[in-house]
Amino acid sequence: MLKAVIATKHKKAPLIAPALKPLGYNVVTTSLFDTDTLGMFTNEVQRDCSAQTAALIKAQQACELTGEQCGLGSEGSFGGGPYPGLMNWDEEVICFYDKHTDIAIYGHAGGPFSPSSLTINSETNVESIIAACQRFKEQNWILDDTQTLYKGLSFEGLVALFKEKAPKAGIITPDLRAMYSGQRQAIIRLAAEDLARRLASKCPQCQCANFVAKQLTKGLLCELCSMPTQQVKSTTSLCDSCGYNHIEANEKHVADATYCQFCNP
Ligand SMILES: [Zn+2]
Ligand SMILES: [Zn+2]
């Protein structure tokens, strides 16, 4: 089996390994590189590059430090998403880097993230913490009492520490590190599946990976009036290496009139 090495202190290898195993990759962890230097969710270190760049740097560093050919880097971003302000969103990217070819492939996934923070004031009590936090079974927490950051607290640990310190100010936030966040873990698994799909899709001309649909062309014709709609007419798979492309028409040859701005304005 080929090795794909990931630098992480946050137990990400078990989340990614099952997706890559059928492709012959054994995902192993190195702790030689402190990924926190690239940014932390707690704002102790701010990330000053894009998530994709951070994932690439992590994957390249993993190769460099271990001497392995293939490295992985994973990075999450919170906020944004399709409903900003209404729903928090977690976007995960996993980079697969091959040192020999210098090619990087990125798997992506995103999903809603529901645990949210609770500002502490003189009114805050154990009941308010139960109401805000208890239902998120697979989420750990950070208590910031304005003096100290207490991280990685289970719900029970959070309640016990709150009783002990009885802070009158500060904030309780979800601990976003992968091993402390069940919702994040689920999205990292999906990003790993997207990565596996890309690694398995080879260009028919040069055999390079990541030969997947990269462009969508809209304009599928309406079934009733034959005017173009916003529905996808075809997808184009494109090779990053040799430029070969393949256009695939939508299996549906006509669009449902529901999507037609003339028949169903
Ligand atoms: Zn190609
Ligand atoms: Zn129509």
Side-chain angles (χ1 to χ4, degrees), residues 4-18:
V5 60
I6 182 165
T8 177
K9 294 193 296 183
H10 304 157
K11 303 197 173 85
K12 288 172 175 172
L15 307 175
I16 300 171

Side-chain angles (χ1 to χ4, degrees), residues 4 114 182:
S114 34

